[in-house]
Amino acid sequence: MTTQVIVLNGGSSSGKSGILRCLQAVLPDPWLAAAIDAFVDSLPASMRNSDSGIEFAPDGGVNVGPEFRTLQKAWMEGTAAMVRAGARVIIDDVFLGGAHSQEGWQKVLAGLDVLWVGVRCDGAVAAGREIARGDRVAGMAESQAELVHRDVFYDVEVDTTDTESLECARIIADRVTP
Amino acid sequence: MTTQVIVLNGGSSSGKSGILRCLQAVLPDPWLAAAIDAFVDSLPASMRNSDSGIEFAPDGGVNVGPEFRTLQKAWMEGTAAMVRAGARVIIDDVFLGGAHSQEGWQKVLAGLDVLWVGVRCDGAVAAGREIARGDRVAGMAESQAELVHRDVFYDVEVDTTDTESLECARIIADRVTP
Amino acid sequence: MTTQVIVLNGGSSSGKSGILRCLQAVLPDPWLAAAIDAFVDSLPASMRNSDSGIEFAPDGGVNVGPEFRTLQKAWMEGTAAMVRAGARVIIDDVFLGGAHSQEGWQKVLAGLDVLWVGVRCDGAVAAGREIARGDRVAGMAESQAELVHRDVFYDVEVDTTDTESLECARIIADRVTP
Amino acid sequence: MTTQVIVLNGGSSSGKSGILRCLQAVLPDPWLAAAIDAFVDSLPASMRNSDSGIEFAPDGGVNVGPEFRTLQKAWMEGTAAMVRAGARVIIDDVFLGGAHSQEGWQKVLAGLDVLWVGVRCDGAVAAGREIARGDRVAGMAESQAELVHRDVFYDVEVDTTDTESLECARIIADRVTP
């Protein structure tokens, strides 16, 4: 079976976006990126920090409201439709609900050949990278590091604590069926 | 019929993105943005200036190759699927193929209630705004100003030459059926 | 006397940055940009929203603390030194203190040939453009529109309410002595 | 003697900006950033890829012309003046001329207490990070990795190949005299 979708799941500042760009560079075919960050950017500004939308608390916690969930669901359906229409897609997401978030994607991607990838990074190291990036709410990296992997299953796992993004991408690419 | 999709078509630097953000602010319900620029950003870096992908010529011309078209088609299908899944979506596109581009969207959006919006801007004025933005290839604004509207039909047209983005958004919002 | 420095003063979203880029494009010699926004970006992240640094209040107000003032003063001295070292410089600032802010620059730029430019924009129009930009705290444009011009004198004034950035830049460029 | 300036020198994608932000976070006093990238952004758009300005060749090489050098010299003088005016400053530069570039800064910073820091990174690793960033001309990292350190002396050297930015920042901070 040809791999049609790659799902990267990991906490904030774990290195998913870097791995995604490296995957796009090393995979022989063109793959589209579908990142939860881009979805958030496509929301009305008023939803980007509100109770009904998404809220980034000063302690690094992230809360999402009912309107966010409705639109997020539609975004997931749309992403699956892109794959069904013939695009290879790499999804870059943060499973704030752990296994529950994965079930959501499983329903939406039913019948497609998915490669599930866990992107791990030691919480303290991710917190340091969050400071080095300078554009994230402090605390997100640490608070999400374990949480997002709770009861999630993977086809392959990489750990950016001691492995470069490009090397992680190569490990993942080896598991992609052309 | 409730408006489900708004399609904004206009040349580079005609002011579509500003109108889109104002529409998100003035419309009472939350609307998602689906912009061709965001689609281009989701492509592999290697396709962003190549024969098979998209090429921004030094004279402001834009050429797209076969692989770009394939992925763009899938992006369009995915965008339509988001609407079918319940999201209100504002599409921000540049109809480089004029009426032909519109036909593509018509097929993909068949059965949905679409508001077609033409965003016009005098070519010389758009060229000046391109300089003021400072992040676009010089010449795109001028070369696309007329081209993208060729034989395209609209439900409503706005002209940013002398009208502010927020005012244009209000004119469009008046045509949105809640 | 050859103009050595151009100082653009105007409220948030009045169009200073666009005029600056157009000035760089229309003036025959190369001019460096020195923008207060770039200065703020060069501060430690911890000072970018704190009592001792700069604080963007939810109502659009901006408060700066003692440490911000100290570093800002040094930035102003450094900018003047660039001019004395031979660079033509366009300063893009927001005179939150009106005439008092101008006196600060006058001291620092003493002996240099300065062109003082007021960039005006109707408060309601600037507030609309703030929404269209989508990346500013709502209310800054409106609250700064009049405030920053209080008792400030200018060699030339432009008003972006009904005049394009490029046209404003040409009006200013006509007053630059080569 | 109290350290007044920290100069970080390293090739493209060696991790200087990340270390700079971590230094701003770990040092007890506020330090301003003065980055060569911000200087390039302050140039007229027309100089950002031209013979007289700065040219990023497709192979990753970087060439600078006479007008670039003149303005760069003024920027260096301005940066030194900020320090003399009382600001603590971290300079983030790429010594394309090796020891010759350092001599330029030594003249400009004469009489100030400078901490010279070499930021090293294995060329192949930096090239991988360049891909992961996705916004740099491919080849710059590799071609600059050794070049920029030629005959340059340092007070302290860090190597990001196997050391995190935050840890590098702590090593540097230990050498800063308060």
Side-chain angles (χ1 to χ4, degrees):
Chain A
M1 283 269 287
T2 299
T3 309
Q4 296 168 290
V5 201
I6 302 170
V7 180
L8 305 178
N9 174 45
S12 184
S13 292
S14 64
K16 298 181 305 295
S17 307
I19 292 176
L20 195 159
R21 283 187 286 263
C22 288
L23 274 169
Q24 289 185 309
V26 301
L27 288 165
D29 296 304
W31 287 72
L32 272 187
I36 186 73
D37 282 4
F39 163 71
V40 171
D41 285 346
S42 76
L43 292 171
S46 62
M47 276 186 72
R48 266 181 257 140
N49 222 355
S50 77
D51 285 0
S52 60
I54 185 164
E55 218 177 352
F56 298 95
D59 69 348
V62 178
N63 303 305
V64 301
E67 289 189 346
F68 182 91
R69 277 178 216 284
T70 304
L71 294 176
Q72 185 185 20
K73 185 77 198 318
W75 169 71
M76 289 164 70
E77 297 278 6
T79 303
M82 282 188 220
V83 183
R84 293 202 170 88
R88 294 168 188 87
V89 177
I90 307 170
I91 294 164
D92 167 355
D93 199 4
V94 182
F95 290 0
L96 292 175
H100 184 72
S101 302
Q102 186 172 35
E103 282 157 30
W105 276 114
Q106 280 179 289
K107 270 181 214 159
V108 158
L109 299 172
L112 297 171
D113 196 23
V114 184
L115 185 76
W116 299 96
V117 182
V119 179
R120 293 185 178 272
C121 182
D122 173 81
V125 168
R129 291 178 189 169
E130 188 172 65
I131 296 170
R133 292 171 73 167
D135 61 349
R136 303 285 146 149
V137 177
M140 280 173 66
E142 185 84 51
S143 72
Q144 296 176 1
E146 295 303 317
L147 185 85
V148 301
H149 299 291
R150 207 167 289 169
D151 301 321
V152 177
F153 69 84
Y154 297 114
D155 296 305
V156 52
E157 292 185 56
V158 291
D159 190 324
T160 65
T161 312
D162 293 308
T163 314
E164 295 290 314
S165 300
L166 182 57
E167 179 57 23
C168 292
R170 286 192 177 123
I171 292 166
I172 299 164
D174 275 347
R175 301 292 301 270
V176 172
T177 313
Chain B
M1 283 270 288
T2 298
T3 309
Q4 295 168 291
V5 200
I6 302 170
V7 180
L8 305 177
N9 173 44
S12 184
S13 292
S14 64
K16 298 182 304 297
S17 308
I19 292 175
L20 195 160
R21 282 187 286 262
C22 287
L23 274 170
Q24 289 185 310
V26 301
L27 288 165
D29 295 305
W31 287 72
L32 271 187
I36 187 72
D37 282 4
F39 163 71
V40 171
D41 285 346
S42 76
L43 293 170
S46 62
M47 276 186 73
R48 265 180 257 142
N49 223 355
S50 77
D51 286 1
S52 60
I54 186 165
E55 216 177 353
F56 299 95
D59 68 349
V62 177
N63 304 305
V64 301
E67 288 189 346
F68 183 91
R69 278 179 215 283
T70 303
L71 293 176
Q72 185 186 19
K73 184 78 196 321
W75 170 71
M76 289 164 71
E77 297 277 7
T79 303
M82 282 188 222
V83 183
R84 293 202 171 89
R88 295 168 186 87
V89 177
I90 307 170
I91 295 165
D92 166 354
D93 200 5
V94 182
F95 289 0
L96 292 175
H100 185 72
S101 302
Q102 187 172 36
E103 282 157 31
W105 276 114
Q106 280 180 290
K107 269 181 214 158
V108 158
L109 300 172
L112 297 171
D113 194 22
V114 184
L115 185 77
W116 299 96
V117 182
V119 180
R120 293 185 179 272
C121 183
D122 173 80
V125 168
R129 291 179 189 170
E130 189 173 62
I131 296 170
R133 291 172 72 168
D135 61 348
R136 302 286 146 149
V137 177
M140 280 173 66
E142 185 84 51
S143 71
Q144 296 177 2
E146 294 303 319
L147 185 85
V148 300
H149 298 292
R150 207 167 290 169
D151 302 320
V152 177
F153 68 85
Y154 297 114
D155 296 305
V156 53
E157 292 185 55
V158 291
D159 191 323
T160 65
T161 311
D162 294 307
T163 313
E164 294 290 315
S165 301
L166 182 57
E167 179 57 21
C168 292
R170 286 192 178 124
I171 293 167
I172 299 163
D174 276 347
R175 302 292 301 270
V176 172
T177 312
Chain C
M1 284 270 288
T2 299
T3 309
Q4 295 168 291
V5 200
I6 301 170
V7 180
L8 305 177
N9 174 44
S12 185
S13 292
S14 64
K16 298 181 305 297
S17 308
I19 292 176
L20 196 160
R21 283 186 286 262
C22 288
L23 274 171
Q24 289 185 311
V26 301
L27 288 166
D29 295 304
W31 287 72
L32 272 187
I36 187 73
D37 283 3
F39 164 70
V40 171
D41 285 345
S42 76
L43 292 171
S46 62
M47 275 186 73
R48 264 180 257 141
N49 222 356
S50 77
D51 286 359
S52 60
I54 185 164
E55 217 176 351
F56 298 95
D59 69 348
V62 178
N63 303 305
V64 301
E67 288 190 346
F68 182 92
R69 279 179 214 283
T70 304
L71 293 176
Q72 186 186 18
K73 185 76 198 321
W75 170 72
M76 290 165 69
E77 297 277 7
T79 303
M82 281 187 221
V83 183
R84 294 201 169 89
R88 294 167 187 88
V89 176
I90 306 171
I91 294 164
D92 166 354
D93 200 4
V94 183
F95 290 1
L96 292 174
H100 184 72
S101 302
Q102 188 172 34
E103 282 157 31
W105 276 114
Q106 280 180 289
K107 271 180 211 158
V108 159
L109 300 172
L112 297 171
D113 195 22
V114 185
L115 185 76
W116 298 96
V117 182
V119 180
R120 293 185 179 273
C121 182
D122 173 81
V125 169
R129 291 180 189 168
E130 188 173 64
I131 296 170
R133 291 170 73 168
D135 61 347
R136 302 287 146 150
V137 176
M140 280 174 67
E142 185 84 51
S143 73
Q144 296 176 0
E146 295 303 318
L147 185 86
V148 301
H149 298 292
R150 207 166 290 169
D151 300 322
V152 177
F153 68 83
Y154 297 114
D155 295 306
V156 54
E157 291 185 54
V158 291
D159 190 324
T160 65
T161 312
D162 294 308
T163 313
E164 293 291 313
S165 301
L166 183 56
E167 179 57 21
C168 293
R170 286 190 178 125
I171 293 167
I172 299 163
D174 276 347
R175 301 292 301 272
V176 172
T177 313
Chain D
M1 284 271 287
T2 299
T3 309
Q4 295 168 290
V5 201
I6 301 169
V7 180
L8 304 177
N9 174 45
S12 185
S13 292
S14 65
K16 298 181 303 299
S17 308
I19 292 176
L20 195 160
R21 282 187 287 263
C22 288
L23 274 171
Q24 289 186 310
V26 301
L27 288 166
D29 295 304
W31 287 72
L32 273 186
I36 187 73
D37 283 4
F39 164 70
V40 171
D41 285 346
S42 76
L43 292 171
S46 61
M47 275 186 73
R48 266 181 256 141
N49 221 357
S50 77
D51 286 1
S52 61
I54 186 165
E55 217 177 354
F56 298 95
D59 68 347
V62 178
N63 302 307
V64 300
E67 288 189 345
F68 182 92
R69 277 179 216 284
T70 303
L71 293 176
Q72 185 186 20
K73 185 77 198 320
W75 170 72
M76 290 165 70
E77 297 277 7
T79 303
M82 281 187 222
V83 182
R84 293 202 171 89
R88 295 168 187 87
V89 177
I90 306 170
I91 294 164
D92 167 354
D93 200 4
V94 183
F95 290 0
L96 292 175
H100 184 72
S101 302
Q102 187 171 33
E103 283 157 30
W105 276 113
Q106 281 179 288
K107 271 181 211 155
V108 159
L109 300 172
L112 297 170
D113 195 22
V114 184
L115 186 76
W116 299 96
V117 181
V119 179
R120 293 184 178 273
C121 182
D122 174 81
V125 169
R129 292 180 189 169
E130 189 172 63
I131 296 170
R133 291 171 72 169
D135 61 348
R136 303 285 146 150
V137 176
M140 279 173 68
E142 185 84 51
S143 72
Q144 296 176 1
E146 295 302 318
L147 185 85
V148 301
H149 298 292
R150 207 166 289 168
D151 301 321
V152 177
F153 68 83
Y154 297 114
D155 295 306
V156 53
E157 292 185 54
V158 291
D159 190 324
T160 66
T161 312
D162 294 308
T163 313
E164 294 290 313
S165 300
L166 183 57
E167 180 57 22
C168 292
R170 285 189 178 128
I171 293 167
I172 299 164
D174 276 347
R175 302 292 300 270
V176 172
T177 313

